[in-house]
Amino acid sequence: MSFDINQLVRENISKLQPYSSARDEYSGDAAIFLDANENPFNSPWNRYPDPRQKELKKEIASLKKISIDQLFLGNGSDEPIDLLYRAFCEPGIDNVISITPTYGMYKVAAEINNVEVKEVLLNESYDINARELLEATDRHTKMIFLCSPNNPTGNNLNKEEMIKVIERFSGLVVLDEAYIDFSPGKSLLPTISKYPNLVILQTFSKAWGMAGIRLGVAIAATPIINILNKIKYPYNINILTQQKAMEMISSTSKVKEWVSIILDQRTLMEHELTNLPFVIKVFPSDANFLLVKTNHARYIYEKLVEKKIIVRDRSKVRLCEGALRITVGSPIENQKLLIALQNITV
Ligand SMILES: *Cc1c(COP(=O)(O)O)cnc(C)c1O
């Protein structure tokens, strides 16, 4: 593999002179700040947030056992996904490879940026084959998107195959680990310093219970992180988000407890759902949701809606024909779902 970040980045981005904010130009402590046209009243909300999120990054870097300059924070994972396209893919010329089925945002972000997505179908066990992915690339392929545990299939992708892709592809491999906290020990994060072309996405939206504050994380070699920082909105992580994330990170015991409850409930629900007469199969899950195959997906979906229980109908997705994607909820929510399902006759 020959990987050269300077050859990969778009020329206009490489030449770009980024916006320099007041807080970029002076980031120390002071008694009086009269440099950013802020309102002197309504403290602390009157001040712009730290554009580099120094304090928060220090905590997250130590949590993830990486260095601060390997870390980018975004407005959800959506932001680094979009920025990666904008940094590396020339609209109308470059393309990316994505597995399918997978998370829909990779394709939407590609389409917004006028970048072609070449889809490579997962195999019968919802897994990848490195050779197939690599054979789908051409000289305009800038990124390969992988998602493990994958959404909506729920399973981890084969680690050896992922590593083959990373080692043999000369563009970026973006590995989305949004659900990794439900799948202990399987993260590729410990290998991040070894691979200059690997970008790992994680998020505070799932195991951390903070989808509402919009905080996503990209971890990669410093040259990639520097490019993302260069093109992001200057104040992309607001004060409320930075404060709430600091608060949650300072006491991780609650998060561990939630994950443990969700994992117990996942085992229970997998068993209970399998016993329903109209369920053909419950796929094994390494995430906080279950993919459930039936012959009556739309009917069951609508019956549940009548009872104000909403699941995700994935029955029109390739390889997920007839499947519903069901998030593992609280014990009470799961019981209500089971009772509702047991009362459905198809
Ligand atoms: C839920 C999810 C995310 C999280 O996105 P955010 O923008 O961080 O909330 C990312 N990737 C996948 C595959 C997901 O399912």
Side-chain angles (χ1 to χ4, degrees):
M1 187 201 77
S2 63
F3 178 74
D4 181 357
I5 187 81
N6 298 315
Q7 252 185 310
L8 209 66
V9 68
R10 291 169 66 204
E11 198 180 333
N12 61 312
I13 300 299
S14 167
K15 286 182 182 155
L16 175 78
Q17 183 65 47
Y19 178 74
S20 180
S21 72
R23 285 289 73 75
D24 283 322
E25 289 178 15
Y26 183 88
S27 60
D29 280 332
I32 300 177
F33 279 108
L34 299 174
D35 58 350
N37 299 344
E38 294 154 331
N39 187 318
F41 309 111
N42 205 28
S43 174
W45 322 113
N46 59 331
R47 298 295 170 195
Y48 280 100
D50 173 7
R52 299 278 149 167
Q53 308 107 16
K54 261 200 228 117
E55 256 188 278
L56 179 56
K57 272 190 188 158
K58 203 171 133 219
E59 296 305 317
I60 295 176
S62 113
L63 189 77
K64 309 261 179 209
K65 301 185 174 63
I66 51 166
S67 76
I68 288 175
D69 56 13
Q70 292 173 305
L71 179 61
F72 172 84
L73 302 185
N75 184 330
S77 311
D78 300 340
E79 185 182 2
I81 292 169
D82 181 55
L83 293 182
L84 285 163
Y85 282 110
R86 288 159 65 191
F88 295 103
C89 297
E90 204 59 52
I93 295 173
D94 290 331
N95 65 66
V96 304
I97 307 282
S98 167
I99 56 173
T100 190
T102 193
Y103 184 46
M105 269 312 287
Y106 317 135
K107 193 166 187 181
V108 173
E111 284 171 358
I112 292 169
N113 289 289
N114 191 22
V115 171
E116 183 198 353
V117 181
K118 300 197 207 193
E119 296 183 324
V120 176
L121 200 63
L122 294 172
N123 65 24
E124 295 288 290
S125 19
Y126 292 148
D127 214 333
I128 56 165
N129 175 286
R131 187 182 41 79
E132 243 181 89
L133 284 165
L134 293 164
E135 276 172 3
T137 64
D138 61 34
R139 66 194 180 91
H140 291 297
T141 305
K142 295 298 185 75
M143 301 194 278
I144 297 178
F145 279 89
L146 301 175
C147 183
S148 178
N150 187 35
N151 177 4
T153 59
N155 59 300
N156 279 315
L157 301 180
N158 181 296
K159 203 166 177 169
E160 286 68 42
E161 292 296 302
M162 288 198 285
I163 287 176
K164 270 188 218 165
V165 174
I166 298 163
E167 289 185 342
R168 294 176 194 176
F169 180 50
S170 53
L172 296 182
V173 176
V174 183
L175 170 58
D176 189 340
E177 291 189 339
Y179 297 99
I180 201 66
D181 300 289
F182 303 104
S183 167
K186 299 280 173 60
S187 176
L188 282 192
L189 198 53
T191 69
I192 196 75
S193 298
K194 209 168 129 187
Y195 298 118
N197 63 333
L198 174 60
V199 181
I200 292 182
L201 303 178
Q202 294 187 356
T203 179
F204 284 86
S205 294
K206 306 286 158 68
W208 285 82
M210 292 191 280
I213 74 169
R214 310 307 300 131
L215 185 62
V217 171
I219 300 146
T222 305
I224 299 174
I225 297 300
N226 288 345
I227 290 168
L228 297 179
N229 279 329
K230 185 171 164 181
I231 65 174
K232 77 181 182 72
Y233 287 165
Y235 305 109
N236 61 329
I237 311 292
N238 69 67
I239 290 182
L240 299 170
T241 297
Q242 294 195 40
Q243 285 184 353
K244 187 65 194 173
M246 288 290 284
E247 184 191 316
M248 288 294 294
I249 291 169
S250 69
S251 64
T252 55
S253 61
K254 239 192 293 181
V255 176
K256 287 193 183 119
E257 194 188 314
W258 293 337
V259 170
S260 141
I261 295 171
I262 291 167
L263 293 182
D264 283 348
Q265 288 291 305
R266 183 178 80 194
T267 307
L268 182 127
M269 290 304 283
E270 189 180 348
H271 179 75
E272 295 291 330
L273 292 167
T274 307
N275 286 339
L276 292 167
F278 46 77
V279 167
I280 298 167
K281 180 172 184 179
V282 180
F283 289 90
S285 172
D286 299 300
N288 66 336
F289 57 85
L290 291 161
L291 190 69
V292 180
K293 200 170 176 93
T294 99
N295 281 330
H296 314 275
R298 195 65 204 176
Y299 180 75
I300 292 164
Y301 172 85
E302 278 161 6
K303 283 287 166 197
L304 289 175
V305 169
E306 282 174 19
K307 295 182 180 164
K308 302 208 180 318
I309 298 174
I310 316 302
V311 300
R312 198 83 192 263
D313 180 4
R314 300 279 78 184
S315 59
K316 299 284 176 287
V317 173
R318 248 199 325 174
L319 291 188
C320 296
E321 290 82 6
L324 298 171
R325 193 195 69 190
I326 304 179
T327 305
V328 178
S330 70
I332 290 172
E333 291 172 333
N334 298 333
Q335 278 316 307
K336 288 188 175 161
L337 170 70
L338 283 174
I339 291 166
L341 287 170
Q342 282 154 0
N343 284 319
I344 296 175
T345 43
V346 295

